[in-house]
Amino acid sequence: MKIAVDCRMSGKSGIGTFLDGILPFLQQKGTELFLFGGESKNPCTVKPFSLKEIFCFPRNLLDSINACDAYFSPYCNIPGGITVPVYTTIHDVVFLDVKGLASPAGTFIRKLFYLQAVKKSRSIFTVSQFSRERIIKRLRCRKPVTVVYNGVPAYIEKKEPPAEKGNSILFIGNIKKHKGLSVLLAAFEKMYVLKAQNGGERPRLLITGSQDSFRSKDSTVFSSIEKINAQFPGSVLFTGFIEDSALKQLLSRARLLVQPSLYEGFGIPPLQALYCGTNAVISDIPVFKEIYSGFPVTFFASGNPDDLCEKMISAYEQKKLASPVPDIYSYRRTASLILEALAEKKQSL
């Protein structure tokens, strides 16, 4: 079986993490891959979700894709002109479930892409039972939706000696409302005051990403950060862009990872933290209950900074050892499930 794989998002966070995680395991006996975009030998400069992708996709790439048995995308975008069976991945429908993440026009356009993926796909993959239920309901999807889950990236799995813990609390994510950074900032400010009053070790909050990009996307959150740093200089810091190896070091040395999300399709950072021996404090949203119940994590009431503050103070003092991650959260298994689904559909044709 020969599969065309869209690699244009390789090397990027989010979708790129999923793609780069499964790629090494898609190449199995009896399977041949045609990779385009990313660092593959078949370059593609056409941006995903662009008009050019839909109406003017390069003919040479389309010929190569259509010579394959199937086309697989790690997301829900599909270039125009593909005639072989299509398989896409919808990680979540957050833009439909959470109001205000995009303009009405932006939300409408995103819904059109979701619906187009449902219409054209022979089968759809997603990363949690929660997302599967939301896809079926919000998109009225009647196509097969297979849950394949995310996994631990290879750079995290690499065995290294335990790192000495510092005083940092780590936030990995973006500035969008559903990530809950405003809840974390309110809780961190309360925690810092209590630690200072009691003479305890004063924590610092590390936010992965660039300060400039955060400034441009949410001035309210940035104002909160400026306010906290005015009271407690240097207590909230931006890491700027960091490579995978540096991110692993941050995870390993952090006292806590906090994932205050109001909505997720999966949420990989707590999985990474557990593997690195770092306590994770996470919101009690349905998908986190699905993924992380039974793991040594601390849940807090979603959207409640007072409860988060209390749980952070408690978890900050707890010692933690690296936690084994079940095989269900393995990109090897994810790739196998994708290949099985494609092989079954091919046999049924």
Side-chain angles (χ1 to χ4, degrees), residues 183 260-262 283-284 300-305:
V183 177
S261 306
L262 306 175
S283 53
D284 62 354
F300 77 94
S302 176
N304 187 327

Side-chain angles (χ1 to χ4, degrees), residues 127-144:
V127 293
S128 65
Q129 290 292 343
F130 170 77
S131 282
R132 180 179 184 274
E133 292 167 4
R134 300 308 300 159
I135 289 166
I136 292 171
K137 181 173 181 178
R138 295 295 303 215
L139 302 177
R140 299 182 180 179
C141 179
R142 297 296 178 263
K143 299 287 182 67

Side-chain angles (χ1 to χ4, degrees), residues 169 181-197 203 205 223-232 235-236 305-306 308-309 312-313:
I169 295 172
L181 180 55
S182 60
V183 177
L184 172 55
L185 290 170
F188 176 77
E189 184 175 5
K190 292 174 183 288
M191 177 185 182
Y192 196 98
V193 170
L194 290 172
K195 285 278 188 182
Q197 290 175 346
L205 176 61
S223 296
S224 297
I225 294 171
E226 286 185 324
K227 174 177 172 286
I228 294 171
N229 277 335
Q231 294 177 294
F232 315 113
S235 59
V236 181
D306 293 329
L308 175 54
C309 175
M312 285 166 59
I313 290 173

